Amino acid sequence: MSATKSYGERAKLHSNPTAKAFLELMERKKTNLSLAADLTSKAALIELADKVGPYICLLKTHIDVVEDFDQDLVDQLTALAKKHDFMIFEDRKFADIGNTVKLQYSSGIYKIASWSDITNAHTVPGEGIIRGLRDIGLPLNRCLLLLAEMSSAGTLAKGDYTTTTVELARKYKDFVVGFIAMRRYEDKEGDDFIYMTPGVGLDQTTDGLGQQWKHPEVVVRDLGCDVIIVGRGIYDQGRDPAHEAQRYQEAGWKAYKERIQLSN
Ligand code: 5BU
């Protein structure tokens, strides 16, 4: 069962090259922390990624909120990914038919597939969305997470929707490497999905707009998720991002160690 194995052991067995490299990175750097860098200025985003880079395995972007986006931002972020040893995840949440998402993923201003190691998609449209993204992403060695659940109050992604999403992931395992999920699901033989979880906070539980934050211990140790995604807990006004990132890195890693020890 993947929940009981270390990231390093899972890396050795993983068939998707990007997921394998990502699991190796987590093991090497001893971090399961992803920074959700929701900043609207290029300079601020670069500064934050540089400060927090040493503590994270994954930089999660919403590239369309950056007001002065240009190719140089992408070049600088990819250089920082090399410098600090992290990967990049554009949280694009694709949600259209296969043909349209192919264009959205490859073209336009952002050309997401050209720089983002990982992206994600809703399964609302059915499996065509995965096939469209896969056409573009697979030759570039990219990979996909499916939104099986969301962290927000009242989400409709639950029950049968979640179950069908997991089945779709199994069908396209060469490209779909995991989920945005609030807990780990039961493995079927040969499964090794990576579970990434937003809605993580050490100090607060809600933002007044539907976001629900849980403690890393609950998310990683008790609910079996692999990666904690943290935004405002790290960079909100008055916080020292490097200091907070270190706190989250330690909390996430401790929870993971406890999980694999508990289950061994
Ligand atoms: P926060 O500042 O830690 O609340 O940021 C959470 C980030 O994760 C933010 O970028 C959201 O867009 C993202 N997110 C989420 O909060 N909940 C979800 O279910 C999904 C993404 Br999918």
Side-chain angles (χ1 to χ4, degrees):
M1 292 285 114
S2 54
T4 61
K5 289 197 194 122
S6 71
Y7 300 134
E9 287 170 299
R10 289 167 60 187
K12 283 185 204 141
L13 300 171
H14 216 289
S15 55
N16 178 284
T18 310
K20 190 184 188 73
F22 182 65
L23 289 162
E24 278 168 2
L25 191 169
M26 285 200 284
E27 183 76 50
R28 171 170 73 241
K29 206 170 162 184
K30 301 209 174 336
T31 175
N32 52 18
L33 172 63
S34 172
L35 169 70
D38 297 348
L39 301 186
T40 56
S41 107
K42 173 181 162 183
L45 176 53
I46 291 166
E47 191 189 338
L48 180 67
D50 200 18
K51 273 192 189 146
V52 169
Y55 310 102
I56 60 173
C57 55
L58 190 64
L59 176 72
K60 188 178 85 59
T61 53
H62 279 305
I63 210 68
D64 59 350
V65 306
V66 180
E67 293 186 352
D68 49 352
F69 171 86
D70 59 9
Q71 182 57 35
D72 179 60
L73 169 60
V74 166
D75 295 345
Q76 292 211 45
L77 290 180
T78 46
L80 287 173
K82 280 214 180 72
K83 173 180 168 190
H84 293 297
D85 193 18
F86 58 73
M87 286 194 181
I88 302 180
F89 164 23
E90 165 59 18
D91 186 2
R92 174 61 178 76
K93 300 187 182 72
F94 290 100
D96 214 320
I97 59 167
N99 187 60
T100 302
V101 295
K102 276 173 88 160
L103 299 171
Q104 291 171 324
Y105 190 24
S106 63
S107 308
I109 301 171
Y110 303 118
K111 301 180 188 11
I112 294 165
S114 73
W115 52 269
S116 182
D117 301 290
I118 303 172
T119 192
N120 57 356
H122 289 289
T123 51
V124 172
E127 70 182 87
I129 189 170
I130 303 175
R131 291 176 44 212
L133 294 170
R134 182 174 172 274
D135 280 356
I136 301 293
L138 206 55
L140 295 170
N141 259 339
R142 306 302 184 206
C143 59
L144 184 70
L145 304 174
L146 296 180
L147 284 111
E149 291 176 283
M150 291 192 70
S151 63
S152 39
T155 172
L156 305 182
K158 60 183 177 183
D160 285 349
Y161 183 87
T162 302
T163 310
T164 308
T165 298
V166 175
E167 280 162 15
L168 285 173
R170 289 197 179 108
K171 185 164 175 191
Y172 292 97
K173 253 187 192 169
D174 56 347
F175 186 52
V176 178
V177 302
F179 303 106
I180 296 290
M182 298 300 119
R183 65 184 174 87
R184 193 179 211 87
Y185 313 127
E186 220 168 281
D187 282 339
K188 276 202 180 152
E189 182 150 359
D191 282 356
D192 189 1
F193 294 114
I194 300 173
Y195 290 76
M196 301 201 188
T197 307
V200 176
L202 284 165
D203 308 312
Q204 276 164 275
T205 55
T206 57
D207 69 351
L209 265 184
Q211 178 65 297
Q212 307 173 109
W213 285 303
K214 289 193 224 133
H215 197 283
E217 232 170 50
V218 174
V219 170
V220 176
R221 186 193 62 196
D222 304 341
L223 298 172
C225 297
D226 294 311
V227 176
I228 51 171
I229 298 174
V230 184
R232 287 163 288 176
I234 290 175
Y235 67 76
D236 235 359
Q237 237 186 351
R239 297 192 197 266
D240 168 357
H243 173 76
E244 294 301 331
Q246 197 173 2
R247 259 179 94 209
Y248 278 94
Q249 177 190 4
E250 284 168 11
W253 198 256
K254 180 167 172 276
Y256 155 71
K257 286 299 224 187
E258 285 173 5
R259 177 176 96 210
I260 59 171
Q261 265 149 30
L262 277 180
S263 46
N264 280 334

